[in-house]
Amino acid sequence: MAFSRSPAAEGSGPVTDRPGSASGQVADGMKGEQGQGAYKVFGIYRFVLALLVVVSHTWEFAFEAPERHFLSSIGIGNIGVMAFFILSGFIISEAIDRFYWGRPYSFLGNRFLRLIPPFWAAIGVSVLVHAALINHGTRALPAAYFPADMLSIETILVNLTELIPILNVNNVIGLKAYYHFVSYAWAVFIEVMFYLSVFAICLLSWQRFFGRYASAGVLLYCMGGGILLAHLCHEYVHTLYRPLSFVPYFVLGVLLYRLRKGAGAVEWTGLVVVLPLMLVHFSRYIQGEVPLDHAWVANLMTARGLTALALLVMAAGLIYPLSYADAGRRLKNADRWFGDLSYPLYLNHYAIVVGFATLLDAKGARYQLSAILLSLALAYGMNVVVEVPLRRIRNNIRGVAL
């Protein structure tokens, strides 16, 4: 899909991941790309997507019945998450091409540092908030939603390992139902599955045997086609592996990157296939994953349904022109600053939401705004304490600072 370099051009030898070999080539390549649109102004875009999620999760502090209000009923948080999946497909495609070609282990290590330690830190904050609310909240945490054993060592261990299925402690202790201290971690889990898939595909495509007979692009197209075929009948594999249903979002991002590199028949054919799949999935997702029947059509053909679909298409469409946008130093700095807040904002706003939901009785726009501002402040602190030190390590792995 994204990584269509030929074996003849790139070599088909074994993967090395030697620190001095690829990173030096990456740095040299980056020097040539400076000033030629190498930097993509996606930071503010990512921040807005994360902010949409936070706003959607704080409507309850502004309205007694958020579902009755048109803006809150659209599901802007769903739009933010799905658009981020699309953007992830684009960004990871470019990262493989520019930084990690022939270095799959470096790619996997960098992605691990990007997602997992900040997730662990968010769990730590959330555990502290929940412990404080249990002991000092003006209203007790609802027993129906917050189980009595949620602060147990077992629950915390399962939370810390839930993003990596094979290593999840839940597989050992059998804690089938447990409390999520980062309630929205499901989307991060989908990201992890995408990264692991890319790692596996790249690892295979760079091996000597595979590289001799097929380019990486051919292998990716074959696997992508198989996954999309599974998506067509995902009702039958839904209980087996739900993340398959989100494949079209990532594939769309990959195709947008390929279109930017040079559109061909394969890319346009891919768009024709992927776009309907994505829109069908999203239209079902915002309705509670309903069957494809007359009720699905009726709910889709409403102002709420059509607006949600239109906003998702617009958000996806913005990625392509943004990838061409020029940015001066000030815009780049501002873009980086906002972009650095996007992931900690997504991870940590749940602790603020729980606090407000537990302690707050009144409703009003000022309470929603307060929750959003506190979430931003917490995200800023977590970025400084957790992500900035990790960013230095990730830059070393990548071979260049972005």
Side-chain angles (χ1 to χ4, degrees):
M1 285 175 183
F3 328 120
S4 56
R5 306 182 187 188
S6 66
E10 299 297 336
S12 55
V15 178
T16 62
D17 261 306
R18 291 195 303 270
S21 58
S23 59
Q25 297 174 7
V26 168
D28 292 341
M30 281 296 295
K31 291 177 183 177
E33 291 186 12
Q34 296 300 327
Q36 300 180 11
Y39 183 82
K40 305 294 189 300
V41 287
F42 288 141
I44 295 176
Y45 179 82
R46 290 189 289 122
F47 174 79
V48 170
L49 296 182
L51 191 61
L52 288 178
V53 176
V54 177
V55 171
S56 70
H57 291 156
T58 54
W59 286 123
E60 61 179 294
F61 308 135
F63 306 121
E64 287 289 348
E67 66 278 359
R68 298 179 183 177
H69 297 265
F70 180 76
L71 186 58
S72 59
S73 68
I74 293 173
I76 57 175
N78 295 327
I79 297 167
V81 171
M82 303 309 169
F84 197 91
F85 287 162
I86 300 169
L87 179 64
S88 184
F90 185 102
I91 290 176
I92 295 304
S93 299
E94 182 180 44
I96 294 295
D97 268 352
R98 293 178 57 198
F99 307 124
Y100 300 110
W101 187 258
R103 302 197 302 147
Y105 297 105
S106 295
F107 166 77
L108 189 63
N110 201 316
R111 290 296 89 192
F112 176 88
L113 292 175
R114 178 71 181 98
L115 293 185
I116 306 301
F119 175 72
W120 288 340
I123 289 176
V125 170
S126 185
V127 168
L128 293 176
V129 168
H130 282 79
L133 291 173
I134 286 178
N135 296 322
H136 305 291
T138 57
R139 292 186 295 160
L141 290 172
Y145 189 68
F146 301 101
D149 64 342
M150 68 178 180
L151 293 177
S152 67
I153 297 298
E154 291 84 357
T155 301
I156 294 174
L157 286 175
V158 170
N159 272 264
L160 289 172
T161 57
E162 68 176 333
L163 292 185
I164 309 175
I166 297 176
L167 303 179
N168 193 337
V169 174
N170 203 20
N171 296 329
V172 178
I173 65 177
L175 192 64
K176 297 187 182 301
Y178 61 93
Y179 182 74
H180 296 268
F181 285 104
V182 179
S183 182
Y184 320 121
W186 69 268
V188 186
F189 176 80
I190 301 297
E191 286 280 334
V192 170
M193 293 299 97
F194 173 62
Y195 296 155
L196 289 175
S197 300
V198 170
F199 167 74
I201 294 169
C202 292
L203 190 63
L204 288 175
S205 65
W206 283 316
Q207 296 304 312
R208 185 180 302 274
F209 175 79
F210 287 96
R212 184 178 301 168
Y213 296 104
S215 68
V218 171
L219 290 170
L220 284 168
Y221 280 125
C222 292
M223 185 168 287
I227 293 175
L228 288 175
L229 181 62
H231 175 73
L232 288 172
C233 57
H234 85 276
E235 292 292 344
Y236 303 101
V237 298
H238 183 82
T239 56
L240 178 64
Y241 216 50
R242 185 169 177 265
L244 281 175
S245 63
F246 296 94
V247 165
Y249 301 93
F250 293 101
V251 175
L252 177 59
V254 173
L255 290 171
L256 288 175
Y257 176 72
R258 289 295 303 152
L259 287 171
R260 192 184 189 281
K261 297 281 287 185
V266 175
E267 285 75 23
W268 288 115
T269 302
L271 283 179
V272 171
V273 174
V274 167
L275 273 175
L277 287 173
M278 182 192 75
L279 294 176
V280 168
H281 176 270
F282 187 69
S283 65
R284 295 184 62 227
Y285 183 84
I286 60 177
Q287 298 183 47
E289 300 187 74
V290 297
L292 297 176
D293 56 16
H294 66 280
W296 164 71
V297 176
N299 290 328
L300 177 61
M301 294 295 116
T302 61
R304 172 183 173 274
L306 293 176
T307 301
L309 282 180
L311 288 175
L312 177 63
V313 172
M314 290 172 58
L318 272 176
I319 295 174
Y320 191 79
L322 282 176
S323 69
Y324 284 98
D326 293 326
R329 176 180 296 180
R330 289 185 178 180
L331 178 56
K332 286 181 181 178
N333 291 337
D335 191 69
R336 288 191 183 99
W337 191 88
F338 281 104
D340 290 343
L341 292 182
S342 59
Y343 188 47
L345 179 61
Y346 180 84
L347 287 178
N348 292 281
H349 76 278
Y350 179 64
I352 303 298
V353 169
V354 169
F356 270 66
T358 304
L359 304 174
L360 189 65
D361 288 315
K363 303 289 184 182
R366 65 180 181 274
Y367 299 114
Q368 182 184 28
L369 180 60
S370 298
I372 294 172
L373 292 176
L374 281 175
S375 298
L376 288 170
L378 179 57
Y380 176 80
M382 296 299 283
N383 176 59
V384 171
V385 173
V386 179
E387 300 214 21
V388 169
L390 288 172
R391 200 167 295 126
R392 300 189 185 102
I393 302 174
R394 293 176 54 227
N395 286 338
N396 288 333
I397 295 174
R398 187 187 303 109
V400 65
L402 297 180

